[in-house]
């Protein structure tokens, strides 16, 4: 299944310059626009003097859970399981896996494919936004999904890498929210 989805999505790479440019933008830069959006929530709520505490909590959860998922959980998993990226495999290994070829759109180092650190971080950010602002959170989830799919189209991740990163990121955001709420209840006593 993983190889079939990779083959299908990656088959669109290298065909149209506009499409490739859009994929590269989403795979490499869309996440930073998401972070700018999180910062904008805080700035707008502070400026309007409405919902600033809620926005602060959202930013805290989004950033802390993103860092936790990317630099702690993901790295622990990669320490014990070093999955090669699709472009790391030889032509023989790709053929054995059912993939004819991988068209790599983005320069990237090999190794450490599972789970996707980008997916872990940006799905954590999206979940952090969703927990506090449902409608905006859906948009952030769509951006995180577009980023993840673009990294598969670009040939630098397997689909299961993105799925694993998404699960880690979302779980990290809900865990961070749980810990923050427990701490708030304690400090209210």
């Amino acid at each position: 299944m993983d190889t079939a989805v990779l083959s299908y999505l990656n088959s669109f790479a290298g065909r149209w310059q506009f499409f490739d440019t859009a994929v590269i933008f989403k795979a490499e830069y869309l996440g930073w626009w998401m972070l700018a959006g999180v910062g904008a929530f805080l700035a707008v709520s502070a400026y309007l003097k409405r919902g600033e505490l809620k926005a602060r909590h959202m930013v805290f959860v989004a950033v802390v859970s993103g860092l936790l998922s990317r630099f702690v959980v993901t790295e622990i998993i990669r320490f014990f399981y070093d999955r090669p990226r699709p472009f790391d495999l030889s032509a023989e290994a790709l053929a054995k896996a059912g993939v004819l070829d991988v068209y790599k759109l983005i320069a990237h180092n090999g190794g450490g494919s599972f789970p996707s650190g980008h997916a872990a971080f940006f799905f954590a950010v999206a979940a952090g936004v969703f927990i506090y602002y449902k409608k905006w959170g859906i948009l952030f989830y769509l951006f995180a999904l577009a980023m993840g799919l673009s990294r598969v189209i670009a040939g630098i991740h397997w689909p299961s890498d993105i799925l694993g990163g998404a699960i880690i990121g979302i779980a990290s955001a809900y865990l961070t929210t749980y810990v923050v709420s427990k701490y708030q209840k304690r400090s209210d006593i």
Side-chain angles (χ1 to χ4, degrees):
M1 179 77 168
D2 217 19
T3 56
V5 174
L6 170 73
S7 290
Y8 177 73
L9 292 176
N10 186 249
S11 71
F12 293 103
R15 290 186 180 186
W16 309 283
Q17 180 64 41
F18 178 78
F19 181 78
D20 289 351
T21 302
V23 166
I24 291 168
F25 171 79
K26 288 184 275 185
E28 292 283 287
Y29 306 109
L30 182 58
W32 300 110
W33 285 90
M34 290 173 64
L35 285 180
V38 168
F41 268 101
L42 189 57
V44 168
S45 65
Y47 178 76
L48 296 177
K49 305 213 186 295
R50 286 191 326 215
E52 186 177 0
L53 185 60
K54 182 179 178 181
R56 281 186 189 182
H57 285 227
M58 182 271 296
V59 169
F60 181 82
V61 166
V63 171
V64 169
S65 62
L67 294 172
L68 172 69
S69 63
R70 170 59 185 100
F71 296 108
V72 178
V73 179
T74 299
E75 292 306 315
I76 289 171
I77 292 170
R78 286 180 180 178
F79 180 78
F80 292 104
Y81 179 63
D82 186 24
R83 182 182 195 185
R85 293 181 183 272
F87 62 81
D88 282 337
L89 299 178
S90 67
E92 295 165 1
L94 284 172
K96 188 176 178 182
V99 178
L100 297 177
D101 192 19
V102 174
Y103 190 93
K104 185 175 154 187
L105 279 177
I106 298 170
H108 203 288
N109 294 333
S113 186
F114 182 85
S116 166
H118 275 76
F121 185 87
F122 292 113
F123 271 95
V125 169
V129 173
F130 182 80
I131 290 166
Y132 291 90
Y133 301 95
K134 300 290 187 234
K135 291 179 183 177
W136 284 105
I138 292 169
L139 180 64
F140 275 72
Y141 271 133
L142 291 173
F143 286 164
L145 180 62
M147 182 272 309
L149 289 174
S150 292
R151 294 182 74 78
V152 175
I153 294 168
I156 58 174
H157 273 295
W158 299 95
S160 59
D161 299 341
I162 303 302
L163 180 61
I167 291 168
I168 290 166
I170 293 167
S172 295
Y174 280 93
L175 176 65
T176 303
T177 302
Y178 175 78
V179 170
V180 166
S181 69
K182 287 290 186 190
Y183 177 76
Q184 284 175 328
K185 287 179 185 175
R186 260 181 144 190
S187 64
D188 290 344
I189 297 174

